[in-house]
Amino acid sequence: MSSDRTRSAILAAAEKLYADRGFGDVTLRDIVAEANVNLAAVNYHFGSKDELIAELFVTRSLATNRERLNALKLAEEKGNGRAPIDAILHALVGPTLRGCLGPDREGSTAARFMIRASIESVPPIRRIKNREVDHLRKFIAAMRRAMPGRDDADLYWGLHFALAMSHHTIREKERLIRLSEGKCDLNDVDAIVDRVVAVSVMALTGGEAPAKKPARSTMPQGRLTRQDL
């Protein structure tokens, strides 16, 4: 087997096993047996189990991020450089939800691997998520153009909540189906995307937080002022 074919076989075997059984229950020996290669080949191509997991996650994430940025670019071109906030958030969460949900995607190895990656917080994936944020900065820049004058912190929280809702929906879809007794349709992925976007837009445009009440002055006991009434 050529070096490239060996590497591809290891990646395919690892992704399938991780998708089926999770990251903690799969050993390198399981992977080499599934790929029909020797342990030295894994060490040669990847160095460690963590590096192998990182390679798989980066490969899948890059595809999702390209889809996100392409959708964002189209939305901004359509808006002459300024896309509406709902179009920006559609570009952000749509690829993730469409990649993992729906009867035509959930059974795929790639989708099941990414669902595992969302559910199981393993160090190599956590490090990548915390480090690779440059593509998200492009969304923040687009959100600034869509909502000029909006406080930056509001935009960061809005993006954070949109991503959190997406990942939580993927992780906890069975619980939502049971809780709603089937009223929430997790097979209609476009409707899920629309709902996540609508709630995120509402959070960003629903008005400013109420101003803090001024501190009440301390008055001698027994005396009331108009402020106390």
Side-chain angles (χ1 to χ4, degrees), residues 26-89:
V26 176
T27 67
L28 287 180
R29 293 191 181 278
D30 294 328
I31 293 168
V32 299
E34 178 76 19
N36 196 26
V37 299
N38 58 48
L39 189 59
V42 177
N43 293 328
Y44 172 76
H45 286 287
F46 302 101
S48 69
K49 179 179 176 179
D50 277 4
E51 289 301 317
L52 176 53
I53 292 172
E55 174 82 9
L56 284 166
F57 183 72
V58 166
T59 299
R60 295 302 178 194
S61 295
L62 283 174
T64 299
N65 293 343
R66 276 196 300 270
E67 188 178 348
R68 283 173 168 169
L69 292 173
N70 285 338
L72 177 62
K73 181 181 178 182
L74 288 174
E76 292 212 294
E77 287 175 351
K78 187 175 180 181
N80 294 318
R82 181 185 291 183
I85 189 65
D86 60 329
I88 295 169
L89 294 175

Side-chain angles (χ1 to χ4, degrees), residues 10-155:
I10 293 168
L11 286 169
E15 186 172 48
K16 178 180 182 300
L17 290 173
Y18 290 140
D20 289 343
R21 293 162 45 185
F23 297 105
D25 290 340
V26 176
T27 67
L28 287 180
R29 293 191 181 278
D30 294 328
I31 293 168
V32 299
E34 178 76 19
N36 196 26
V37 299
N38 58 48
L39 189 59
V42 177
N43 293 328
Y44 172 76
H45 286 287
F46 302 101
S48 69
K49 179 179 176 179
D50 277 4
E51 289 301 317
L52 176 53
I53 292 172
E55 174 82 9
L56 284 166
F57 183 72
V58 166
T59 299
R60 295 302 178 194
S61 295
L62 283 174
T64 299
N65 293 343
R66 276 196 300 270
E67 188 178 348
R68 283 173 168 169
L69 292 173
N70 285 338
L72 177 62
K73 181 181 178 182
L74 288 174
E76 292 212 294
E77 287 175 351
K78 187 175 180 181
N80 294 318
R82 181 185 291 183
I85 189 65
D86 60 329
I88 295 169
L89 294 175
H90 263 280
L92 177 69
V93 304
T96 300
L97 290 165
R98 284 192 294 270
C100 292
L101 296 178
D104 59 333
R105 287 294 300 161
E106 287 177 15
S108 72
T109 299
R112 291 186 298 111
F113 173 81
M114 290 305 283
I115 292 169
R116 284 284 187 185
S118 181
I119 293 171
E120 299 183 26
S121 182
V122 293
I125 291 177
R126 198 160 56 242
R127 284 194 293 270
I128 292 166
K129 285 183 176 180
N130 290 338
R131 184 182 69 232
E132 303 297 333
V133 297
D134 284 350
H135 74 288
L136 296 178
R137 295 191 194 284
K138 292 180 171 65
F139 280 89
I140 289 294
M143 291 168 73
R144 286 194 190 103
R145 289 188 286 273
M147 306 180 76
R150 192 74 179 187
D151 185 75
D152 265 6
D154 289 341
L155 302 181

Side-chain angles (χ1 to χ4, degrees), residues 85 147 150 198-208:
I85 189 65
M147 306 180 76
R150 192 74 179 187
V199 173
S200 301
V201 170
M202 191 185 307
L204 281 165
T205 62
E208 302 292 337

